[in-house]
Amino acid sequence: MAAVLESLLREEVSVAAVVRWIARSTRGSEDNPGEAAALSSLRPLRKEFVPFLLNFLREQSSRVLPQGPPTPAKAPGASATLPGRPGGPSRGSRGARSQLFPPTEAPSTAAEAPLARRGGRRRGPGPARERGGRGLEEGVSGENLPGAGGRRLRGSGSPSRPSLTLSDPPNLSNLEEFPPVGSVPPGPAGTKPSRRINPTPVSEERSLSKPKTCFTSTPISCVPSSQPSALDTSPWGLGLPPGCRSLQEEREMLRKERSKQLQQSPTPTCPTPELGSPLPSRAGSLTDEPADPARVSSRQRLELVALVYSSCIAENLVPNLFLELFFVFQLLTARRMVTAKDSDPELSPGVLDSLESPLFQSIHDCVFFAVQVLECHFQVLSNLDKGTLKLLAENERLLCFSPALQGRLRAAYEGSVAKVSLAMPPSAQAVSFQPETDNRANFSSDRAFHTFKKQRDVFYEVLREWEDHHEEPGWDFEKGLGSRIRAMMGQLSAACSHSHFVRLFQKQLLQMCQSPGGAGGTVLGEAPDVLSMLGADKLGRLWRLQERLMAPQSSGGPCPPPTFPGCQGFFRDFILSASSFQFNQHLMDSLSLKIRELNGLALPQHEPNDEDGESDVDWQGERRQFAVVLLSLRLLAKFLGFVAFLPYRGPEPPPTGELQDSILALRSQVPPVLDVRTLLQRGLQARRAVLTVPWLVEFLSFADHVVPLLDYYRDIFILLLRLHRSLVLSQESERKMCFLNKLLLLAVLGWLFQIPTVPEDLFFLEEGPSDAFEVDTVAPEHGLDAAPVVDQQLLYTCCPYIGELRKLLALWVSGSSGRSGGFMRKITPTTTTGLGAQPSRTSQGLQARLAHAFFHNQPPSLRRTVEFVAERIGSNCVKHIKATLVADLVRQAESLLQEQLVTQGEEGGDPAQLLEILCSQLCPHGAQALALGREFCHRKSPGAVRALLPEETPAAVLSSAENIAVGLATEKACAWLSANITALIRREVKAAVSRTLRAQGPEPAARGERRGCSRACEHHAPLPSHLISEIKDVLSLAVGPRDPDEGVSPEHLEQLLGQLGQTLRCRQFLCPPAEQHLAKCSVDLASLLVADQIPILGPPAQYRLERGQARRLLHMLLSLWKEDFQGPVPLQLLLSPRNVGLLADTRPREWDLLLFLLRELVEKGLMGRMEIEACLGSLHQAQWPGDFAEELATLSNLFLAEPHLPEPQLRACELVQPNRGTVLAQS
Amino acid sequence: MILTKAQYKEIAQCLVSVPPTRQSLRKLNQSRATLLSIFSQEYQKHIKRTHAKHHTSEAIESYYQRYLNGVVKNGAAPVLLDLANEVDYAPSLMARLILERFLQEHEETAPSKSVINSMLRGPSQIPDGVLANQVYQCIVNDCCYGPLVDCIKHAIGHEHEVLLRDLLLEKNLPFLGEDQLRAKGYDKTPDFILQVPVAVEGHIIHWIESKASFGDECSHHAYLHDQFWSYWNRSWTATGKGHSLTLKILEEKLGGKETQRCITIME
């Protein structure tokens, strides 16, 4: 690279030629012969140019960005294998870099001295240093290995740093150079398994910078944000006398120094303050080293490198566009140099050209370089979100260095509508019960159904517990929930239960995790929209506030490893804890199916000729739908990748050598869980890369180390690499991809290329004949790729790491005040709607083709409206038929059944047979359904279409649309009806029959003769519960034990029975069990009355009920039994041994009430003589005291001696009702 | 009636020592329904806590012997009831215990649960006359357990459901009842799902389950676990997750009767 750069600097070759050379070596012929010649000798190094360049830049900047989040660079790791490299790994990276630019000609002494000293001090790379003086060829061969250096660069806190500052007096007060013990950032030595340096959170930079306050005399908390921070080693930091160590002294000096500065010139920063930007001057200009365009050293060199670098970025020769942007932003916002090259640019123009002096000699250089690069990428910048744009436009350094770029950015900011809100984790929401799939009918057995019912509850219990606890420190998923989850999985024995559970799991996953940013729109559907339309301003603010509070602080640097943020963590841990093979398999099946389904979804395609305002509105909807599909796909693919590669992933390093070969041989036989290669190829051919690639990337991000080595997946990676190369942002054309679509793909692909499991050499070593890629895309007219389906919201939702750019800028703005949350300023939630069902396109017949053609010429909203109307009306039609025709048929069935029952007697014959007869009679009527359905659709569809289309729609278009809607709705309804109407009628009739038969059964009350309240009833009767409770009290009083003064008054008893009558007549609150108990209690009460066991409160000492009163009460009871009870009354209990036995205790025994009761029962037809005789007969079998048995026998004889009253009506009752009542009461 | 937690605790404390009989409950004659409900729940908690100790075979055997001795002395005395009160156990449950033991002794096979239940519901079926009377006495004297009390509870639940339905109709709030939901194939349903949610004191109400009992914390947790979460799991609340619940007991004059309604709000 040095050679190339040298050539460039010597103006032997043009930048364009160099970039062409890098991009495709074969096309060298285009260049002029001289250039070609100059470059052809370097051909073998072509591949390594870009990684070299990147590493070079990283290294050069490492002095500027000592503590900031490191920008990872990824490059081939050839170094490890290179012979002759002593101490291959680590430390000397910086030295290794510098050796690449050997001091061929003596530069200025200032530049030379530190270099020489640096070299001398370094032990490790000594030999390399020796090589430094050699010719270009050798130098280059030594540079074959830039990768190692590059990656090592991330360890910005490398111990070799102090050597850099050797020429300067050690500034011990610089706490970043001499950080307090414990705050030293982790060294670069490969202790981390990941090649990616753990990104230091942005906020931590602040914490490291805190020691700044050491220099102020005020306590930390009182430091005003605008106060200049003294950490800057320049300009004043360096002026300290070497011996000055005492903090106190330093403080004093600083204060003086500062006041001097302030007096002299408050803002040396911007030489053109009159540029007149209305932007508020931010604290940044004071807190950090000011950058001055006038003090840039070696402009030409910086410009050249910036140009080459920018071109590489533009040509997608770098793996990750946003990583480079991040790096550039870091340069832009660099706060200070570690080695303060404060002295004015002393490099004479003649020396500028050489590379051996550090590229960035000062902050000015860094900012200059950054601005140069940014100028080349204005297009990308202008497509960032509004917040980032604002921060960029307000960046005073940009204003200083390139007012033109600032102006463009400002214009872009003002015109931008791309407000992005950071995704808010939606609150948990249960998957609703789905009657059509969660029904009993979908389970093999009752058991399975009930198990699943339980499973659902356990699942949500676990989920809720996780929600409550997962943020608590010390809470462990496995410990807390693992055993419960496994127990639950253990119960899912049947395969069908597994699939049910997996469906629930997947739905819950989608519901909880796929909210595409802001407002948790999927949860409430369109509720936020509706609410905001209602003017719920406060609500909107609340949403925003909540979002602000809940948005994650950082997504983990510009290149975070794949993670499961928020709720996704639950599902991952669930899978891990369940560790169930069956579950994983079912889950993979289900995920694959859903991915295929969504990936194949016919998303509406853009018609470029339809560019009026209306279509713009429509595109909102299209975009939203696309976003929902894409995010769902990404989520599903992520989990599929996770589960599919789970068995192969482990903490151990990737295998090598023979072991790797055998593993490869084994793994290459395993068919992929989902044929992603074919899906990718098809996606590319159909120009749907913007849909397919993002989820594929999610899937691949969970691949294990072996995967990229497998032929199958290697093909995929090559395809992706070619795609990446072909997505040149500056090439805009009608048929190609939209800018933001490209940006999304570049972002996700760039991210993928940084994943540790993706081999490092893959990106750079793979030949990228981008032409070959172009060839096989003989694409349809307008693929999804050409449609503006991606907006910034989606881009940032898919790639939250892009937001790191904004955080970087925000951090700059927030200066040293320590505010770290200031980067979210504009928050506007947007919503998405659920994924609507896509009406199927029936493309049969001329009519359909005509309809298709018709829609083609109309705005897409028309088509959607018509399809929507058709879909709804069709569905409504089926419901309507169910509610009318089918309900009528069911009523007919019921009356037919009644007739049948009457003619065939009580039993009515075999239910199955009955059903068959009824169905054969009724099902033919189902044919009417089609005619009725057609009529319904004809009646309803046109109105709906008319209501939904714009008023101004031309009449002809309107009527065509109406007709198509009618046709589609009819088609849909009739298709369903003709297929299902018979089964539907059958099912409903069957339900009705079993209902009727059940009603026929034991409970006569349900036979329809059960009376309700009378019309005039106002439902003021006492409540049944109250009555049962009252009667129970009387019973317990009678049974005892009781206090001597306890009892009931006859009036109370009478009132109670009166109330009972009222309650029984008002059926409003009465349920059958209550009535049964009331009946039983009333019988008990009667028995106690007969036995005179009820303690009566009355005039003193009169503790027995008067005979007349007793008879009156019994009469009341009899009439209640006769008139008011609708259920059976267990009257035979009156003659049960226990109740009759009550009489045995009374002395003298009074039999007349019993006899009276028995007679009345017979007379009222409540019991038959025979029945009573039978009861009396069985009474004799019980064991009684001698005299009691005698009296009982007398009673029987007395009763039996009475004349029969054989009334026919009475006989019926005798035979039917009481018998059944007996049975019931006993049960 | 709305009680503060402190008031509730005080009441519950007072009620701890009261046996569940008619005589002791006469003392609770003000705002009877609420107090009864609180008492009943406190008593049930007490019984749940002590249930196990009455079910050891030694305990059963000693109770049975004491019962036998008691009835031999005087069959008409409230032997079983006194025994229950003495050992601080619900009379109905004591009756069941003794009945079970009795049937084990007098019949070849162990009695099935349904037989026992049926005998408790209709003591006339109990083969032994003395035991039948004793059991009956226990049942009518027990205010917290037994088939009669169960029936009363059930009736109260039903009545309140009806009251609630009337109230919803009266207020013109459209709803789907349990039957309608069952007909649609739902496995677990609340009493009513409001077709259009309403707000009560700042809380969005999606469904209502009438419980017709005093809503203390314990019963809430039980209901929450058995029912409410199940409803939530089936998405009958559309907002957020449920973590806290607010409880209100409203005293209302409905249908000329003093009733209480307990509104549970799940968020």
Side-chain angles (χ1 to χ4, degrees):
Chain A
M1 142 143 186
V4 178
L5 284 190
E6 299 264 6
S7 315
L8 265 174
L9 290 173
R10 286 195 297 268
E11 299 186 348
E12 279 172 20
V13 287
S14 68
V15 170
V18 170
V19 174
R20 269 201 304 281
W21 171 73
I22 304 162
R24 38 185 110 90
S25 54
T26 47
R27 293 288 188 82
S29 54
E30 287 174 12
D31 307 327
N32 77 53
E35 288 180 338
L39 292 169
S40 61
S41 62
L42 304 171
R43 213 178 141 190
L45 309 171
R46 200 182 48 77
K47 272 186 214 161
E48 274 131 36
F49 180 83
V50 176
F52 180 85
L53 176 68
L54 300 186
N55 285 324
F56 172 68
L57 290 172
R58 299 287 195 281
E59 182 181 321
Q60 289 292 311
S61 65
S62 60
R63 293 185 307 146
V64 192
L65 312 166
Q67 298 287 0
T71 312
K74 187 162 166 168
S79 69
T81 58
L82 225 117
R85 169 128 194 168
S90 17
R91 302 298 134 112
S93 65
R94 198 158 292 131
R97 279 287 74 68
S98 63
Q99 111 216 342
L100 300 173
F101 310 100
T104 43
E105 298 149 47
S108 81
T109 44
E112 168 88 279
L115 268 171
R117 236 177 273 187
R118 224 180 295 157
R121 256 181 68 98
R122 220 177 21 249
R123 289 278 73 91
R129 168 88 193 121
E130 283 157 29
R131 251 187 268 142
R134 286 183 229 160
L136 207 66
E137 298 294 290
E138 274 190 28
V140 166
S141 75
E143 285 142 23
N144 254 347
L145 4 145
R151 265 175 287 125
R152 249 165 257 129
L153 275 179
R154 297 162 215 149
S156 44
S158 119
S160 67
R161 192 197 301 130
S163 67
L164 290 172
T165 55
L166 215 71
S167 59
D168 308 314
N171 182 3
L172 291 179
S173 55
N174 184 337
L175 287 158
E176 296 205 350
E177 229 177 302
F178 297 99
V181 177
S183 72
V184 183
T191 45
K192 301 245 167 196
S194 160
R195 276 182 287 123
R196 182 166 304 122
I197 293 284
N198 222 12
T200 318
V202 175
S203 51
E204 261 186 56
E205 193 207 19
R206 305 311 316 162
S207 70
L208 280 171
S209 310
K210 251 184 204 158
K212 282 172 188 177
T213 47
C214 292
F215 294 101
T216 65
S217 49
T218 42
I220 295 171
S221 55
C222 303
V223 183
S225 62
S226 61
Q227 197 153 357
S229 139
L231 220 211
D232 313 326
T233 46
S234 79
W236 47 70
L238 273 168
L240 292 175
C244 174
R245 294 283 151 78
S246 138
L247 213 68
Q248 206 57 45
E249 267 176 78
E250 276 183 273
R251 276 190 193 148
E252 254 334 287
M253 295 193 60
L254 245 146
R255 226 170 286 153
K256 278 182 206 152
E257 193 71 37
R258 202 181 299 147
S259 60
K260 219 194 300 178
Q261 289 248 340
L262 287 172
Q263 280 160 12
Q264 282 165 4
S265 72
T267 49
T269 22
C270 195
T272 53
E274 70 280 1
L275 249 165
S277 155
L279 298 176
S281 176
R282 292 273 173 171
S285 61
L286 276 176
T287 50
D288 297 282
E289 185 177 355
D292 183 350
R295 292 164 72 186
V296 174
S297 58
S298 59
R299 257 173 194 271
Q300 190 205 351
R301 196 173 60 156
L302 285 170
E303 270 171 13
L304 257 180
V305 178
L307 199 56
V308 173
Y309 180 53
S310 300
S311 308
C312 288
I313 296 178
E315 289 285 325
N316 291 331
L317 295 171
V318 298
N320 189 333
L321 164 69
F322 286 100
L323 194 58
E324 300 313 316
L325 279 183
F326 186 76
F327 171 65
V328 172
F329 275 36
Q330 276 186 313
L331 286 181
L332 179 68
T333 59
R335 291 187 189 273
R336 78 207 70 84
M337 286 299 263
V338 170
T339 319
K341 291 278 171 191
D342 190 45
S343 48
D344 281 331
E346 47 197 289
L347 297 167
S348 64
V351 216
L352 272 184
D353 291 351
S354 62
L355 281 166
E356 60 271 24
S357 59
L359 184 63
F360 303 122
Q361 305 201 12
S362 64
I363 285 290
H364 321 297
D365 290 359
C366 293
V367 177
F368 178 76
F369 178 81
V371 173
Q372 289 289 311
V373 177
L374 290 182
E375 275 187 331
C376 298
H377 296 285
F378 171 74
Q379 205 185 2
V380 177
L381 297 180
S382 66
N383 276 289
L384 294 176
D385 74 310
K386 199 166 183 172
T388 314
L389 276 177
K390 183 175 162 66
L391 288 167
L392 266 180
E394 290 176 359
N395 187 295
E396 68 281 4
R397 279 183 170 173
L398 256 178
L399 179 63
C400 280
F401 280 77
S402 176
L405 177 60
Q406 193 271 346
R408 285 160 81 197
L409 283 169
R410 181 150 194 90
Y413 160 68
E414 275 155 10
S416 170
V417 288
K419 288 181 181 174
V420 168
S421 73
L422 289 164
M424 184 181 66
S427 50
Q429 167 68 15
V431 170
S432 61
F433 186 84
Q434 317 266 317
E436 67 279 9
T437 48
D438 297 349
N439 226 338
R440 163 68 186 90
N442 291 303
F443 289 83
S444 54
S445 64
D446 270 331
R447 223 181 103 97
F449 178 58
H450 287 295
T451 310
F452 181 65
K453 190 164 93 179
K454 266 185 250 154
Q455 265 9 198
R456 176 195 277 271
D457 289 336
V458 175
F459 176 63
Y460 284 110
E461 199 181 304
V462 167
L463 176 56
R464 268 189 301 272
E465 198 165 320
W466 174 83
E467 283 206 303
D468 290 341
H469 297 295
H470 74 282
E471 275 164 344
E472 288 171 10
W475 189 82
D476 182 56
F477 188 94
E478 170 58 33
K479 249 184 252 161
L481 303 170
S483 57
R484 225 181 309 163
I485 289 174
R486 277 186 295 277
M488 167 188 158
M489 299 312 290
Q491 285 173 340
L492 289 172
S493 48
C496 124
S497 312
H498 268 291
S499 67
H500 276 287
F501 180 72
V502 160
R503 201 184 48 235
L504 178 71
F505 186 85
Q506 184 178 309
K507 276 193 176 147
Q508 187 65 37
L509 173 70
L510 279 177
Q511 203 155 307
M512 276 174 80
C513 304
Q514 143 270 45
S515 164
T522 44
V523 174
L524 285 174
E526 304 193 35
D529 265 346
V530 174
L531 290 173
S532 62
M533 273 183 340
L534 293 174
D537 191 38
K538 277 183 194 161
L539 190 82
R541 272 183 220 155
L542 267 175
W543 280 89
R544 263 177 281 162
L545 184 64
Q546 190 183 4
E547 189 188 282
R548 182 166 288 184
L549 291 172
M550 293 174 75
Q553 178 80 5
S554 168
S555 60
C559 253
T563 49
F564 292 91
C567 311
Q568 295 179 17
F570 169 78
F571 295 92
R572 177 204 51 200
D573 292 343
F574 188 95
I575 292 168
L576 288 176
S577 277
S579 59
S580 157
F581 172 74
Q582 293 98 321
F583 174 62
N584 287 359
Q585 189 59 49
H586 279 274
L587 187 60
M588 283 194 285
D589 296 348
S590 176
L591 289 169
S592 302
L593 182 73
K594 189 77 183 169
I595 289 174
R596 276 181 179 282
E597 181 193 320
L598 286 177
N599 188 54
L601 206 62
L603 289 163
Q605 290 170 358
H606 185 42
E607 282 103 311
N609 47 352
D610 184 39
E611 281 297 352
D612 51 17
E614 183 198 9
S615 72
D616 201 48
V617 175
D618 294 336
W619 268 107
Q620 297 283 331
E622 306 287 355
R623 267 198 211 111
R624 223 177 299 160
Q625 199 198 357
F626 175 79
V628 171
V629 174
L630 182 71
L631 292 171
S632 306
L633 271 170
R634 280 169 55 90
L635 184 68
L636 297 169
K638 186 183 201 172
F639 274 88
L640 181 62
F642 174 67
V643 180
F645 297 120
L646 191 59
Y648 307 108
R649 284 162 60 93
E652 67 273 11
T656 48
E658 273 182 39
L659 185 60
Q660 182 179 332
D661 291 344
S662 66
I663 290 179
L664 278 179
L666 195 65
R667 286 286 295 279
S668 56
Q669 293 185 59
V670 182
V673 60
L674 175 67
D675 190 3
V676 281
R677 185 172 61 185
T678 312
L679 288 177
L680 174 64
Q681 282 162 347
R682 276 197 211 132
L684 291 174
Q685 274 162 15
R687 291 191 172 278
R688 286 164 68 88
V690 70
L691 182 66
T692 304
V693 172
W695 70 253
L696 182 62
V697 164
E698 289 286 300
F699 175 76
L700 291 175
S701 71
F702 280 94
D704 56 281
H705 285 96
V706 176
V707 166
L709 306 176
L710 298 168
D711 286 344
Y712 180 86
Y713 287 102
R714 192 155 187 104
D715 288 354
I716 293 175
F717 276 107
I718 289 171
L719 272 177
L720 290 178
L721 279 170
R722 289 180 186 168
L723 175 68
H724 182 264
R725 191 64 61 79
S726 75
L727 294 170
V728 178
L729 287 167
S730 53
Q731 291 175 3
E732 285 248 56
S733 70
E734 264 299 291
R735 291 184 62 237
K736 293 270 177 65
M737 215 180 273
C738 287
F739 189 85
L740 279 166
N741 296 9
K742 278 186 192 169
L743 213 53
L744 172 68
L745 292 187
L746 283 177
V748 295
L749 287 172
W751 178 76
L752 178 69
F753 296 145
Q754 298 288 332
I755 300 270
T757 41
V758 179
E760 313 164 19
D761 54 353
L762 197 64
F763 184 82
F764 292 111
L765 293 189
E766 197 54 56
E767 286 292 329
S770 51
D771 312 325
F773 181 76
E774 300 288 340
V775 178
D776 60 349
T777 52
V778 199
E781 268 290 288
H782 305 292
L784 201 56
D785 286 347
V789 283
V790 176
D791 57 6
Q792 276 87 354
Q793 176 73 54
L794 183 60
L795 179 66
Y796 277 70
T797 309
C798 290
C799 314
Y801 31 88
I802 302 179
E804 295 290 315
L805 295 178
R806 181 168 160 187
K807 288 177 193 169
L808 211 54
L809 292 172
L811 208 69
W812 166 252
V813 169
S814 66
S816 57
S817 63
R819 283 186 295 127
S820 55
F823 50 85
M824 281 164 23
R825 288 192 290 180
K826 294 246 185 278
I827 308 152
T828 310
T830 55
T831 60
T832 56
T833 49
L835 177 58
Q838 283 289 300
S840 63
R841 264 184 230 143
T842 53
S843 48
Q844 317 154 338
L846 187 60
Q847 197 61 42
R849 292 218 303 279
L850 269 175
H852 199 76
F854 168 75
F855 284 129
H856 193 75
N857 296 327
Q858 300 294 333
S861 65
L862 178 82
R863 178 191 198 120
R864 274 203 316 280
T865 308
V866 167
E867 286 177 340
F868 174 73
V869 166
E871 201 258 342
R872 290 325 307 156
I873 299 285
S875 161
N876 290 349
C877 172
V878 169
K879 285 183 192 146
H880 181 71
I881 300 280
K882 257 192 212 172
T884 52
L885 176 71
V886 178
D888 278 344
L889 289 178
V890 168
R891 268 193 290 280
Q892 280 185 40
E894 278 170 342
S895 58
L896 280 173
L897 188 65
Q898 288 292 353
E899 285 172 29
Q900 206 88 18
L901 288 175
V902 168
T903 52
Q904 297 195 3
E906 281 281 309
E907 294 310 309
D910 180 29
Q913 215 180 331
L914 269 176
L915 181 66
E916 279 313 311
I917 298 168
L918 287 172
C919 285
S920 64
Q921 284 177 333
L922 293 174
C923 284
H925 292 288
Q928 294 169 25
L930 293 184
L932 286 171
R934 246 176 241 122
E935 193 269 330
F936 181 88
C937 293
H938 266 280
R939 190 153 41 87
K940 294 283 183 182
S941 306
V945 171
R946 234 173 290 140
L948 291 175
L949 287 183
E951 286 279 307
E952 291 69 28
T953 312
V957 174
L958 187 64
S959 83
S960 296
E962 286 174 10
N963 290 338
I964 294 173
V966 168
L968 285 176
T970 314
E971 189 185 328
K972 183 179 153 68
C974 289
W976 193 91
L977 286 173
S978 57
N980 296 306
I981 188 71
T982 312
L984 178 69
I985 294 174
R986 244 192 121 77
R987 198 178 72 202
E988 296 289 316
V989 167
K990 187 177 172 190
V993 166
S994 59
R995 212 164 41 228
T996 316
L997 287 180
R998 229 181 303 131
Q1000 286 290 324
E1003 188 148 359
R1007 222 184 288 166
E1009 55 189 40
R1010 187 166 200 139
R1011 290 159 285 163
C1013 310
S1014 67
R1015 289 222 157 185
C1017 180
E1018 288 178 28
H1019 314 309
H1020 286 329
L1023 294 173
S1025 59
H1026 172 75
L1027 269 175
I1028 302 174
S1029 174
E1030 291 279 307
I1031 296 177
K1032 177 171 164 288
D1033 279 356
V1034 174
L1035 294 179
S1036 72
L1037 255 180
V1039 173
R1042 55 180 175 262
D1043 297 337
D1045 58 339
E1046 277 188 304
V1048 286
S1049 64
E1051 293 75 30
H1052 178 69
L1053 281 176
E1054 228 165 290
Q1055 190 195 348
L1056 202 56
L1057 293 184
Q1059 285 182 346
L1060 181 56
Q1062 287 173 30
T1063 300
L1064 289 171
R1065 283 187 288 276
C1066 167
R1067 315 296 296 188
Q1068 175 84 342
F1069 296 104
L1070 202 56
C1071 58
E1075 193 178 355
Q1076 271 176 35
H1077 271 92
L1078 281 173
K1080 212 184 276 180
C1081 288
S1082 67
V1083 171
D1084 287 343
L1085 198 61
S1087 292
L1088 289 166
L1089 278 173
V1090 165
D1092 194 18
Q1093 294 268 340
I1094 298 182
I1096 293 299
L1097 273 186
Q1102 192 201 350
Y1103 276 94
R1104 301 193 74 169
L1105 206 54
E1106 270 176 35
R1107 205 50 38 97
Q1109 275 172 330
R1111 282 185 188 232
R1112 202 161 58 243
L1113 289 170
L1114 284 177
H1115 255 299
M1116 284 178 86
L1117 278 170
L1118 281 162
S1119 112
L1120 286 175
W1121 293 334
K1122 171 85 182 150
E1123 306 290 338
D1124 296 321
F1125 275 102
Q1126 291 183 14
V1129 182
L1131 292 171
Q1132 74 291 345
L1133 284 179
L1134 288 169
L1135 290 172
S1136 73
R1138 196 176 67 78
N1139 280 334
V1140 173
L1142 292 172
L1143 277 169
D1145 301 337
T1146 49
R1147 291 200 194 267
R1149 291 193 188 107
E1150 305 275 0
W1151 291 94
D1152 52 337
L1153 281 175
L1154 183 58
L1155 196 59
F1156 163 77
L1157 188 61
L1158 292 180
R1159 281 181 187 143
E1160 286 297 314
L1161 283 174
V1162 175
E1163 198 163 309
K1164 287 214 157 29
L1166 285 164
M1167 276 180 101
R1169 291 186 75 87
M1170 310 267 275
E1171 200 185 354
I1172 292 178
E1173 278 170 31
C1175 288
L1176 286 173
S1178 62
L1179 270 181
H1180 290 304
Q1181 289 156 20
Q1183 296 214 324
W1184 302 111
D1187 56 334
F1188 186 77
E1190 265 173 43
E1191 290 178 32
L1192 195 62
T1194 320
L1195 176 91
S1196 301
N1197 292 336
L1198 256 175
F1199 177 74
L1200 293 178
E1202 284 171 17
H1204 279 233
L1205 296 166
E1207 291 169 44
Q1209 169 205 4
L1210 185 130
R1211 295 224 61 88
C1213 291
E1214 189 177 346
L1215 287 175
V1216 184
Q1217 204 162 3
N1219 271 337
R1220 189 178 285 136
T1222 310
V1223 174
L1224 248 197
Q1226 297 286 351
S1227 71
Chain B
M1 79 193 265
I2 300 171
L3 294 175
T4 66
K5 204 163 168 176
Q7 283 172 321
Y8 165 75
K9 281 215 166 128
E10 200 183 326
I11 294 173
Q13 208 63 49
C14 295
L15 293 176
V16 161
S17 50
V18 182
T21 53
R22 163 181 46 82
Q23 284 133 308
S24 40
L25 292 189
R26 256 183 314 169
K27 295 166 195 156
L28 311 175
N29 57 358
Q30 49 166 335
S31 196
R32 199 163 169 235
T34 305
L35 286 178
L36 245 173
S37 187
I38 296 176
F39 170 75
S40 174
Q41 280 168 12
E42 287 301 310
Y43 187 74
Q44 283 173 43
K45 277 189 241 169
H46 168 72
I47 291 296
K48 264 183 212 143
R49 276 196 302 271
T50 55
H51 178 79
K53 87 171 181 202
H54 301 290
H55 273 251
T56 59
S57 49
E58 298 84 31
I60 295 175
E61 207 48 47
S62 99
Y63 296 157
Y64 188 55
Q65 287 310 323
R66 286 181 64 180
Y67 158 75
L68 289 180
N69 295 339
V71 291
V72 165
K73 261 185 243 160
N74 180 7
V79 179
L80 214 43
L81 186 63
D82 287 346
L83 177 64
N85 286 337
E86 191 193 317
V87 301
D88 198 13
Y89 195 44
S92 297
L93 299 180
M94 180 61 86
R96 171 186 286 268
L97 215 61
I98 299 299
L99 177 62
E100 236 168 36
R101 179 67 188 76
F102 173 85
L103 291 176
Q104 261 169 26
E105 191 171 282
H106 290 263
E107 275 162 40
E108 307 269 300
T109 53
S112 73
K113 215 171 178 173
S114 63
V115 169
I116 304 261
N117 283 339
S118 160
M119 285 185 176
L120 287 172
R121 255 178 277 141
S124 303
Q125 299 163 61
I126 297 173
D128 181 277
V130 177
L131 182 58
N133 285 333
Q134 295 282 344
V135 167
Y136 187 73
Q137 190 173 39
C138 281
I139 285 166
V140 294
N141 275 296
D142 195 331
C143 290
C144 293
Y145 285 94
L148 267 174
V149 177
D150 288 346
C151 173
I152 293 172
K153 284 182 187 163
H154 181 267
I156 292 176
H158 177 79
E159 287 153 17
H160 283 73
E161 232 178 282
V162 176
L163 282 173
L164 194 54
R165 176 186 302 267
D166 289 352
L167 213 63
L168 290 175
L169 287 171
E170 184 191 312
K171 303 276 180 206
N172 246 332
L173 299 174
F175 59 86
L176 288 177
E178 214 170 339
D179 299 339
Q180 286 158 293
L181 290 167
R182 275 197 211 294
K184 287 189 178 187
Y186 286 93
D187 51 359
K188 276 189 173 178
T189 65
D191 288 339
F192 302 102
I193 289 179
L194 300 182
Q195 284 172 327
V196 182
V198 296
V200 173
E201 295 178 11
H203 301 280
I204 310 281
I205 311 285
H206 295 268
W207 49 262
I208 301 175
E209 170 82 23
S210 162
K211 276 292 155 227
S213 68
F214 185 83
D216 65 349
E217 271 176 275
C218 180
S219 63
H220 251 104
H221 282 294
Y223 284 132
L224 198 62
H225 186 267
D226 296 343
Q227 290 182 292
F228 300 161
W229 281 130
S230 300
Y231 306 153
W232 188 89
N233 297 347
R234 284 148 185 82
S235 253
W236 284 320
T237 43
T239 51
K241 61 176 215 164
H243 38 174
S244 71
L245 43 134
T246 315
L247 173 69
K248 296 254 149 65
I249 304 272
L250 303 177
E251 192 176 19
E252 290 224 358
K253 296 276 175 190
L254 274 175
K257 279 279 147 196
E258 183 186 295
T259 60
Q260 348 156 27
R261 281 179 311 135
C262 163
I263 295 185
T264 297
I265 292 156
M266 291 184 67
E267 294 175 84

